[in-house]
Amino acid sequence: MQLVTITDIETAAGRIKGTAVHTPLLRQLWVPGEFWVKPESLQPIGAFKIRGAYNAIAALTDAERERGVVAYSSGNHAQAVAYAAREFGIPAVIVVPDVTPRLKVEATLRWGAEVREVPIAERESAALGLAEERGLTLIPPFDHPDIIAGQGTVGLEIAQDLPDVETVLVPISGGGFASGVGTAIKTKCPNAKVYGVEPELAADTAASLAAGKRVDWPIADRARTIADGLRAQPSELTFAHLQRVLDGVLTVTEDEIRDTVRVLAQQGRLVTEPSGATAPAAYLHHADELPGGRTVAIVSGGNIDPAMLAELLA
Amino acid sequence: MQLVTITDIETAAGRIKGTAVHTPLLRQLWVPGEFWVKPESLQPIGAFKIRGAYNAIAALTDAERERGVVAYSSGNHAQAVAYAAREFGIPAVIVVPDVTPRLKVEATLRWGAEVREVPIAERESAALGLAEERGLTLIPPFDHPDIIAGQGTVGLEIAQDLPDVETVLVPISGGGFASGVGTAIKTKCPNAKVYGVEPELAADTAASLAAGKRVDWPIADRARTIADGLRAQPSELTFAHLQRVLDGVLTVTEDEIRDTVRVLAQQGRLVTEPSGATAPAAYLHHADELPGGRTVAIVSGGNIDPAMLAELLA
């Protein structure tokens, strides 16, 4: 299997320049040790997903791109594809389950995308049907080399801004983010360790890596975590990357995630969503399971319901 | 009167590198027009004040620096001086009114400073007494060229990251921040307009500039605003800068400030304090009083009481 290379990631970095923000490393001085967060929550759509989506669309041929793109997602990937398509001035159709909260549908409509609401079981087939019918290209959320390469630019920025980083913490869902970041870090900072982080309630990748092969967790189990962006499972492609680039996977509890959302707002002045607080939660609550040294945890996103944030702060 | 020059600001930029974060410009796409915020709330102590305090201490002679520094403040300047002194490994004494909330005292103690609590009317004399007695150097919050030059590095970063910026919005309290930022912008981007922003309830600088001389507002009046970092008044030195570099001053209401704290958390994923939300509030609520075009509003700080943030979000 062909894995994504550092050259792919460097090409992606050139493409996304001016669209994705080069987010700063923010030293967190209220916690012992040398600890930084990288706030991808500050991207235009509030999550790192803009990097992969933009890179994937940039990699299309002119003819493909002109016909437009389609994606199925109700989360940050939907907004990322809609936003990136608008930047290119091309049509985008986003297929969402008909149970998607109004707020999320509107966030996607804002970027000018067409939104199709379908029964949840039909969203993949509806997207594929639209792709065929209209000649649209499907932009998958993680299972594609261009997506992995785009997300990997986060690792490239870490290597550039803190070349002697010792530990990097990245959340795992479908694994595209950790695949890309891990590839960049392992190439540019060969002595650094890269750890994935999962909610204890959706720890399929920890189980899979321990078993040496992909282990399936029922979606009903994975759906229990508050970290709604971390409920997917790796594909064959991302799992192959993870086996190669990760030094381990840490799991965090729901209380640890909630606590980290709260403390990052109070001490770090960052609004994070539960999925976004998962990697920092591993440092704050499981430092004893980490090698120590200069550590960066990636805050993957900040799209939290204001009522939930208010509740966690009160 | 000798005003701060771009050379002073560039020297300051060299000194603070590695201590203050070069904060990114964050495009805010949920609002019409080309609008960015510069989140100084993400500095190590949660406010731009670290820039001036660090530059002022760096500018001391070795002998002065070794003896240590003193400041009187209960706000972000206290934390900035304490933090900068720790970075240099020198003693710092912070004089605070004895009515200062425990939380703020602890935030300063965290950086290893000695905190002296005195009756509010005595804080200046207590600080001066300590300075004389122990040979400490007083680091003033705004009325000093090295402070102005340090704060001005924010303007230098804006000019570097968005050379064709058309409008810059900066909050005014003692005026050191607006003096420095205005000087940098007017030199590097001569076509850009620079506007100060004040709470309507502490609009002494708007009145002063209109009168062509400093007008005194009673502290009881200025104390009414929720923006507790914007209750000071310009000195002779800062007022001379403001007369030269500002194109105008906008005022915002208390409701506009509160609304902006809320919306910056929800849409911008930033935790801001009321003073920090004041400049963006001018863009969000008074765009008709501005020339338009590419606009940057500086978010000066993010040290808000979590209970207040929760209340504004609920």
Side-chain angles (χ1 to χ4, degrees):
Chain A
M1 191 182 310
Q2 182 93 26
L3 300 191
V4 167
T5 66
I6 192 70
T7 310
D8 299 328
I9 298 172
E10 284 167 342
T11 302
R15 289 175 178 148
I16 67 168
K17 204 172 173 172
T19 296
V21 176
H22 181 129
T23 50
L25 292 181
L26 302 174
R27 179 78 189 269
Q28 302 299 306
L29 290 150
W30 44 277
V31 63
E34 292 183 87
F35 178 58
W36 289 260
V37 297
K38 186 163 170 72
E40 287 294 300
S41 49
L42 301 180
Q43 293 296 348
I45 58 131
F48 71 96
K49 293 268 181 187
I50 184 67
R51 297 173 183 261
Y54 191 90
N55 185 52
I57 296 176
L60 298 178
T61 65
D62 287 350
E64 286 170 335
R65 196 163 40 238
E66 267 170 42
R67 283 197 298 272
V69 293
V70 59
Y72 53 95
S73 161
S74 55
N76 291 332
H77 179 62
Q79 286 205 56
V81 171
Y83 179 74
R86 195 187 72 153
E87 288 281 292
F88 282 108
I90 62 164
V93 186
I94 310 295
V95 179
V96 303
D98 52 14
V99 294
T100 305
R102 209 60 227 158
L103 210 70
K104 291 203 170 184
V105 171
E106 273 158 20
T108 305
L109 286 169
R110 174 197 286 166
W111 310 122
E114 177 186 338
V115 173
R116 282 287 188 97
E117 303 188 45
V118 303
I120 191 158
E122 292 171 24
R123 58 186 196 158
E124 186 168 355
S125 63
L128 292 170
L130 277 161
E132 198 172 340
E133 183 187 316
R134 301 205 208 163
L136 306 173
T137 301
L138 181 72
I139 306 292
F142 57 85
D143 189 25
H144 194 287
D146 293 331
I147 299 288
I148 295 172
Q151 321 302 34
T153 58
V154 170
L156 216 52
E157 291 176 5
I158 294 171
Q160 189 178 323
D161 294 342
L162 192 71
D164 57 357
V165 63
E166 293 170 272
T167 304
V168 175
L169 301 172
V170 50
I172 302 183
S173 182
F177 194 24
S179 295
V181 169
T183 300
I185 294 293
K186 288 293 181 182
T187 313
K188 294 289 183 182
C189 311
N191 296 323
K193 306 281 182 193
V194 180
Y195 291 84
V197 185
E198 289 184 308
E200 211 173 78
L201 298 183
D204 56 280
T205 304
S208 297
L209 287 169
K213 64 181 170 107
R214 287 194 294 151
V215 170
D216 185 52
W217 278 36
I219 179 64
D221 285 0
R222 288 178 273 133
R224 294 169 301 170
T225 179
I226 190 176
D228 58 359
L230 301 181
R231 293 171 180 165
Q233 298 188 128
S235 64
E236 199 182 338
L237 177 67
T238 57
F239 190 66
H241 284 81
L242 299 181
Q243 283 187 302
R244 189 179 178 129
V245 299
L246 290 188
D247 292 284
V249 176
L250 275 70
T251 60
V252 296
T253 67
E254 299 294 294
D255 278 350
E256 289 165 353
I257 294 171
R258 286 172 202 269
D259 176 69
T260 305
V261 170
R262 184 183 58 70
V263 80
L264 284 174
Q266 287 182 13
Q267 303 286 352
R269 296 132 198 139
L270 292 168
V271 172
T272 60
E273 59 185 277
S275 306
T278 297
Y283 183 83
L284 298 178
H285 294 280
H286 299 268
D288 54 322
E289 300 166 44
L290 288 166
R294 286 174 291 281
T295 302
V296 173
I298 304 169
V299 170
S300 54
N303 293 319
I304 188 172
D305 177 37
M308 183 191 283
L309 180 59
E311 189 195 313
L312 290 173
L313 285 172
Chain B
M1 191 181 310
Q2 181 93 27
L3 300 191
V4 167
T5 66
I6 193 69
T7 310
D8 299 327
I9 299 173
E10 284 167 343
T11 302
R15 289 176 179 147
I16 68 168
K17 204 172 172 174
T19 296
V21 175
H22 181 129
T23 49
L25 292 181
L26 302 175
R27 179 79 188 268
Q28 303 298 306
L29 290 149
W30 45 275
V31 63
E34 294 182 87
F35 178 59
W36 289 260
V37 297
K38 185 162 172 72
E40 287 294 300
S41 49
L42 301 180
Q43 294 296 347
I45 58 131
F48 72 95
K49 293 267 182 189
I50 184 67
R51 297 172 184 261
Y54 191 89
N55 185 53
I57 296 177
L60 299 179
T61 65
D62 288 349
E64 285 170 334
R65 197 163 38 238
E66 268 171 41
R67 285 197 297 272
V69 293
V70 59
Y72 54 96
S73 161
S74 54
N76 291 331
H77 179 61
Q79 286 205 55
V81 172
Y83 179 73
R86 194 187 73 154
E87 288 281 292
F88 281 108
I90 62 165
V93 185
I94 310 295
V95 179
V96 303
D98 53 14
V99 295
T100 304
R102 209 59 226 157
L103 210 70
K104 291 203 170 185
V105 172
E106 273 157 20
T108 305
L109 286 169
R110 174 197 287 167
W111 310 122
E114 177 185 340
V115 174
R116 282 286 187 99
E117 302 189 46
V118 304
I120 191 159
E122 292 170 24
R123 57 185 197 159
E124 188 169 353
S125 62
L128 292 171
L130 276 161
E132 199 173 338
E133 183 187 316
R134 299 205 208 163
L136 306 173
T137 302
L138 181 73
I139 306 292
F142 56 85
D143 188 25
H144 194 286
D146 294 331
I147 299 288
I148 294 171
Q151 321 302 32
T153 58
V154 170
L156 216 52
E157 291 176 5
I158 293 171
Q160 189 178 324
D161 294 342
L162 192 71
D164 57 356
V165 63
E166 292 169 273
T167 305
V168 175
L169 301 171
V170 50
I172 303 184
S173 182
F177 193 25
S179 295
V181 169
T183 300
I185 294 292
K186 288 293 181 182
T187 313
K188 295 288 183 183
C189 311
N191 296 322
K193 305 281 182 195
V194 179
Y195 291 85
V197 185
E198 289 185 309
E200 212 173 77
L201 297 183
D204 55 280
T205 304
S208 297
L209 287 169
K213 62 178 171 98
R214 287 193 294 150
V215 170
D216 185 51
W217 278 35
I219 178 64
D221 285 1
R222 289 179 271 133
R224 293 169 303 170
T225 179
I226 190 176
D228 57 359
L230 302 181
R231 293 172 181 164
Q233 297 189 129
S235 64
E236 200 182 337
L237 177 67
T238 58
F239 189 64
H241 284 81
L242 299 181
Q243 283 187 302
R244 189 180 178 128
V245 300
L246 290 189
D247 292 285
V249 175
L250 276 70
T251 61
V252 297
T253 68
E254 299 294 295
D255 278 351
E256 288 165 355
I257 293 172
R258 287 171 201 271
D259 176 69
T260 305
V261 170
R262 185 184 57 71
V263 81
L264 283 174
Q266 286 180 15
Q267 303 286 352
R269 298 137 198 133
L270 292 169
V271 172
T272 60
E273 59 186 276
S275 307
T278 297
Y283 183 83
L284 298 178
H285 295 280
H286 299 269
D288 55 322
E289 300 166 42
L290 288 166
R294 287 174 291 281
T295 302
V296 173
I298 303 169
V299 170
S300 54
N303 293 319
I304 188 174
D305 176 38
M308 183 191 283
L309 180 60
E311 189 195 312
L312 290 173
L313 286 172

